[in-house]
Every structure is written in structure tokens, then in C-alpha cells.
Amino acid sequence: MIRIAVANQKGGVGKTTTSINLATALAATGQRTLLIDLDPQGNASTGLGVSHAERDRSSYDLLTRECALGEAVVATRVPRLDLVPATVDLSGVEIELVGSEARTHRLDHVLATGDRWDVCLIDCPPSLGLLTVNALVAADSVLVPLQAEFFALEGLSQLLQTIERVRARFNPDLSILGVALTMYDRRNNLSAQVADDVRACLGNVVFDTVIPRNVRLSEAPSHGVPALIYDHRCPGSEAYISLARELIARLPAPAVAA
């Protein structure tokens, strides 16, 4: 199972929207896809139509070893897309695990049993705490949604430093799958300037596709479905389909042969 952490410590950059729609696109290509909601806000769970009443088990239970992976998985409305939902209990897991052995490897150990799926996306919280570190330790690679705004590169540098620390201490094989520019406003010269700066800094690591600001992307979660299902012809959905093609092209061959 290929594991991809969707991470950026800044909030509001489109991590959850990216996670949901890329997971949907991967499932649509035939991949058996697992999305793990690792954010205490649980937005990925809500955005896939999984109510709080359906979250008997969650990613919190996985990290605290109260259940196995299969017990926490919930089927979504999207064929071949399963979800491990999140609850607010996750907000206290860092304190609960502070003295625990191998606390940074809890998710890695859990995913070692995930033979049912071809690919796993991990929607990280907007922080660089223990939850995100668990995701980075467990992941093969990192996908970074990056909002096209003035402070984007500053926040990115902090994330890259964290990735280097995780690589040095825990996961030497961790790589950056790509950086996806989100909330791009073609009417705003600043968006184009930020995009140019990011590409000049990171080169081919940045995906060609940019995700535009689009009201349909914002509306979809309130209906409990991905934007790709809510309105597959809107500019946001079309952009995520294009981004998914790029992502698949960067994945190891076995993942696209499933």
C-alpha cells in the first residue's frame, strides 16, 4: 500500500479538499483507496458524508491502540473509497501519548496491516505536532497543498525542515511527492507572482496543475460529497482531475496497475 501524507501546518490551504478529491479520483481509476482523517476537526469525515453518529471508531482509537484498522474503517458513498474518520478526541492524543513508547510510530504500525488497499491518503491537521509527525513517519511521500499567497513560502520552509528532521530520525525513505498550488486567483497578480516564486524555488516538485478558487469546491462539503461528484464539470473539479493524473504519473508502477 502506497501511503501519502497531505500536510501543511498552515490552516485553510485546502488540505482536506485536496485529500477528499484526490482520494475520489484515485478510487475512480480503480484504486482501492483509504483516506485517514487525522485532523481533530474531522472535516474530511464530514465532507465525505460520514456523520458523528457513524464514528464509533476513529483514528484516535487507532493511535491509542483501542482497535484494529479494519474496525475503524467506514465505507463512503464513493465506490472503492474507505475512510477512517476523526473525532475531537484526537485533540488530546498528544498529551495522552507523551510518555508512551514509540509514540511517533503508532500510525506506521497500524498501516502495516492495510493490505486491503492500494493507496492511502492521510489528511493531516494544521500543525507540526505529534499527529503530523505520525503521518510523516508512516508515509512514503508527502503532498503539500500550498495556497497562492504572500506567506506561502515562509510556511513551506518550516514544513520542509520538519520533513528533513523526520527523514533523519525516523523515516529515511520519506520523499516529497509534489507541491500543489491551491486557491489560485487568476485575476490577482499576487497569485501569479507566488506561483512563479514557488516554481523558481522548487522546480519540478511543483505540479503543473493549479487549483483555482471555486465556490463549488466550498459548497460540496455541506452536501457530504466530494466536489468531483457534486459538480464534476466545475473548474475546481476539472483541476483536481488534472492534478490526479499528474499524481498518478508520479506514483510507483504497481499502484497504477491495480
Side-chain angles (χ1 to χ4, degrees), residues 172-189:
D173 297 325
L174 182 65
S175 63
I176 298 176
L177 182 61
V179 174
L181 290 165
T182 61
M183 302 182 180
Y184 189 92
D185 188 346
R186 299 186 186 280
R187 302 166 299 176
N188 189 337
N189 290 334

Side-chain angles (χ1 to χ4, degrees), residues 6-175:
V6 183
N8 190 327
Q9 79 278 12
K10 287 179 65 65
V13 301
K15 283 190 299 297
T16 297
T17 299
T18 297
S19 298
I20 289 174
N21 287 290
L22 286 182
T24 300
L26 286 168
T29 67
Q31 302 293 313
R32 295 168 299 171
T33 306
L34 176 65
L35 176 58
I36 296 182
D37 191 349
L38 213 61
D39 187 343
Q41 298 176 85
N43 290 337
S45 306
T46 303
L48 283 171
V50 178
S51 68
H52 289 279
E54 297 175 275
R55 305 178 200 181
D56 293 330
R57 295 292 192 177
S58 68
S59 51
Y60 168 82
D61 297 299
L62 294 183
L63 294 177
T64 55
R65 296 176 175 168
E66 294 182 21
C67 76
L69 178 58
E71 297 175 79
V73 169
V74 176
T76 72
R77 303 177 191 179
V78 181
R80 292 179 297 277
L81 175 56
D82 293 327
L83 170 76
V84 174
T87 62
V88 71
D89 294 335
L90 270 178
S91 58
V93 78
E94 192 157 346
I95 296 174
E96 292 184 45
L97 297 182
V98 67
S100 301
E101 183 180 352
R103 63 184 179 275
T104 57
H105 289 70
R106 291 292 180 96
L107 186 60
D108 185 37
H109 294 157
V110 166
L111 293 183
T113 65
D115 295 337
R116 285 167 45 189
W117 300 276
D118 300 309
V119 60
C120 172
L121 273 68
I122 309 167
D123 184 28
C124 296
S127 72
L128 295 177
L130 183 61
L131 292 173
T132 297
V133 170
N134 258 271
L136 296 179
V137 171
D140 302 309
S141 59
V142 187
L143 189 153
V144 184
L146 191 69
Q147 186 177 358
E149 64 162 23
F150 181 72
F151 292 114
L153 282 175
E154 180 180 322
L156 179 62
S157 66
Q158 296 173 6
L159 177 62
L160 294 179
Q161 289 172 14
T162 299
I163 291 172
E164 283 301 322
R165 292 191 188 104
V166 170
R167 186 183 287 148
R169 293 189 60 187
F170 306 119
N171 187 0
D173 297 325
L174 182 65
S175 63

